Amino acid sequence: MLIMDVGSTKRDVVDAARRVLREGNLGSFVPAHPITGKEVAGVEHADADLYLDKQVILTPIEHTQTKQLKMAIDIWQALGCRVQQMSPEAHDAAFAAVSHLPHLLAFALMNAISGQPQGQDFLALAGPGFRDFTRIAASDPRVWRDILLANREELLTQSKIFQAHLQTLELMLTNNKSKALEELIVQASSTRSQWQMNQPQE
Amino acid sequence: MLIMDVGSTKRDVVDAARRVLREGNLGSFVPAHPITGKEVAGVEHADADLYLDKQVILTPIEHTQTKQLKMAIDIWQALGCRVQQMSPEAHDAAFAAVSHLPHLLAFALMNAISGQPQGQDFLALAGPGFRDFTRIAASDPRVWRDILLANREELLTQSKIFQAHLQTLELMLTNNKSKALEELIVQASSTRSQWQMNQPQE
């Protein structure tokens, strides 16, 4: 028997597995998180290539049996995924930063705009940059309520770090610090330009 | 003679035109902002379809002559754009919300992640949601330094509104308010799902 999940947080599902699975079955559980998805839900949006060339993170624990771990790796590789392993804690810290926080920011931005009297006029003018930036805001609300709550400690930590950087940028704007502002944008722009999806950096 | 610009802010270029153009030439100036672009710069990224089916905003002022305005409309329509007119002030308020703020947030997020000791490990795990959310962070630093500074008052106003909404979401997380959190995400998700690019709402 192999038990897997495909959730976006791993510490909570490992905790739940420890609570409800018998000792023998706990060894059959391989926590998994495929790094792919869509902002639309439902079987009508099924996509046979969804997992192709994507990463999947497995977070085995001390009880996980070698045989089940090998089975899990084989299944994901057969679907076209590249498999990585890490601890549930390392997983949740990383995805707070690169997935859960961007969702939180996208939700906040949509509500910030639509909550203004001119919000609909503003939205009517938005272009391709806005389209891509806010795509994840359309994600399934109940799924993301659960993800954000399940990883709220790491997420709140990341949100505070983000706000400190945002406020630094605001300070450059307020004080008209053109040179310092440019340096911060260069840093952001070069980091993003050099980033490539699915290129693990050793 | 027709004078146009294609800048992302309009009040500053109108102010500059008032300062430097003679009274007669000021009437030939039609401020323009095509709502399209790429995060990559340079002629090697030229795209003949860049303007196809996109919006262009013209912000004529009291001096703008009817003939030049008509010429500008004809040029943009010939490129495949749909033309809208509004005041420079209305333009800058709207684009602070739907363009300049998303760029500021994307820059802040990239710097927040890359500034952490584990930043490179985090980035190596990022997937398609992160890719789209941060695409605009790769934009040209000098161009965006100038845009953000030119519209900094409206931008700082929008950034404050955004942070208030972000902090409301954080409060729901901190206090484990599942129902209230879900309602805010539903609001964001439905606003984004209903939004379509280039669908002006009357």
Side-chain angles (χ1 to χ4, degrees):
Chain A
M1 181 178 65
L2 169 64
I3 308 172
M4 278 200 294
D5 79 308
V6 292
S8 295
T9 55
K10 296 271 75 69
R11 278 192 301 191
D12 63 322
V13 76
V14 165
D15 288 345
R18 287 186 205 272
R19 279 197 309 274
V20 300
L21 294 181
R22 292 165 192 276
E23 186 76 17
N25 292 344
L26 185 57
S28 302
F29 177 50
V30 181
H33 178 200
I35 314 305
T36 183
K38 295 185 169 185
E39 73 280 10
V40 284
V43 71
E44 66 271 28
H45 300 292
D47 178 353
D49 292 330
L50 188 64
Y51 295 108
L52 201 64
D53 289 328
K54 299 299 192 302
Q55 293 189 88
V56 62
I57 314 297
L58 304 182
T59 64
I61 58 173
E62 70 282 5
H63 297 82
T64 311
Q65 290 168 22
T66 309
K67 184 180 169 190
Q68 270 77 359
L69 181 58
K70 173 74 169 56
M71 284 169 65
I73 293 170
D74 289 345
I75 288 172
W76 287 109
Q77 286 180 341
L79 285 170
C81 288
R82 277 168 306 101
V83 177
Q84 281 196 66
Q85 295 181 42
M86 63 184 66
S87 72
E89 292 73 22
H91 171 281
D92 285 5
F95 286 92
V98 299
S99 173
H100 309 164
L101 178 60
H103 279 77
L104 188 71
L105 302 179
F107 297 144
L109 179 68
M110 289 310 302
N111 289 348
I113 295 175
S114 68
Q116 296 177 57
Q118 297 172 286
Q120 292 303 316
D121 296 331
F122 290 173
L123 288 172
L125 294 166
F130 178 87
R131 176 196 61 202
D132 292 352
F133 187 86
T134 59
R135 179 178 66 79
I136 53 176
S139 300
D140 186 85
R142 276 181 295 178
V143 169
W144 278 91
R145 171 201 66 190
D146 290 346
I147 293 171
L148 300 185
L149 282 172
N151 202 23
R152 64 183 175 159
E153 282 177 39
E154 295 285 0
L155 174 56
L156 289 167
T157 299
Q158 289 298 326
S159 186
K160 293 302 172 213
I161 295 170
F162 165 80
Q163 284 171 76
H165 282 265
L166 176 58
Q167 284 156 13
T168 301
L169 287 166
E170 286 183 329
L171 201 64
M172 307 290 112
L173 289 169
T174 303
N175 297 327
N176 205 17
K177 298 283 189 191
S178 174
K179 183 78 184 141
L181 177 64
E182 182 183 337
E183 284 169 10
L184 291 179
I185 301 177
V186 164
Q187 181 191 322
S189 179
S190 67
T191 302
R192 179 56 179 80
S193 298
Q194 286 157 28
W195 177 80
Q196 285 200 339
M197 197 166 67
N198 297 330
Q199 299 274 324
Q201 306 187 25
E202 304 303 329
Chain B
M1 179 178 65
L2 168 65
I3 307 173
M4 277 200 296
D5 78 309
V6 292
S8 294
T9 54
K10 296 271 73 70
R11 279 193 300 192
D12 63 319
V13 75
V14 165
D15 288 346
R18 288 186 204 273
R19 279 198 309 275
V20 301
L21 295 180
R22 292 163 192 278
E23 187 77 18
N25 292 345
L26 186 55
S28 303
F29 177 50
V30 181
H33 178 200
I35 314 304
T36 184
K38 295 185 169 187
E39 73 280 12
V40 284
V43 71
E44 66 272 28
H45 300 292
D47 178 353
D49 291 331
L50 187 63
Y51 296 107
L52 201 63
D53 290 328
K54 298 300 192 304
Q55 292 189 89
V56 61
I57 314 296
L58 304 182
T59 64
I61 57 173
E62 71 282 6
H63 297 82
T64 311
Q65 290 169 22
T66 308
K67 184 180 169 190
Q68 270 79 0
L69 181 58
K70 174 74 168 60
M71 285 169 64
I73 292 171
D74 289 346
I75 287 172
W76 288 109
Q77 287 180 340
L79 285 170
C81 288
R82 278 169 305 101
V83 176
Q84 281 197 66
Q85 295 182 41
M86 63 184 67
S87 71
E89 291 75 20
H91 171 280
D92 284 6
F95 285 91
V98 299
S99 173
H100 310 163
L101 178 59
H103 279 77
L104 189 71
L105 301 180
F107 298 144
L109 179 68
M110 289 309 302
N111 289 348
I113 295 175
S114 69
Q116 296 177 58
Q118 296 171 287
Q120 291 304 315
D121 296 331
F122 290 172
L123 289 172
L125 294 167
F130 179 88
R131 176 197 60 204
D132 292 353
F133 187 87
T134 59
R135 179 178 65 80
I136 53 176
S139 299
D140 187 87
R142 276 182 295 180
V143 169
W144 278 92
R145 171 200 67 192
D146 290 346
I147 293 171
L148 300 185
L149 282 171
N151 202 23
R152 63 184 174 156
E153 282 177 38
E154 296 285 0
L155 174 55
L156 288 167
T157 299
Q158 289 297 327
S159 185
K160 292 303 173 214
I161 295 171
F162 164 81
Q163 284 171 77
H165 283 264
L166 176 59
Q167 285 156 13
T168 300
L169 286 166
E170 287 182 330
L171 203 62
M172 307 292 111
L173 289 169
T174 303
N175 297 327
N176 206 16
K177 299 281 189 192
S178 174
K179 184 78 184 137
L181 177 65
E182 183 183 338
E183 283 168 12
L184 291 178
I185 300 177
V186 164
Q187 180 190 323
S189 180
S190 65
T191 302
R192 179 56 179 78
S193 298
Q194 286 157 28
W195 177 80
Q196 287 201 336
M197 197 166 68
N198 298 330
Q199 299 275 327
Q201 306 188 22
E202 304 304 328

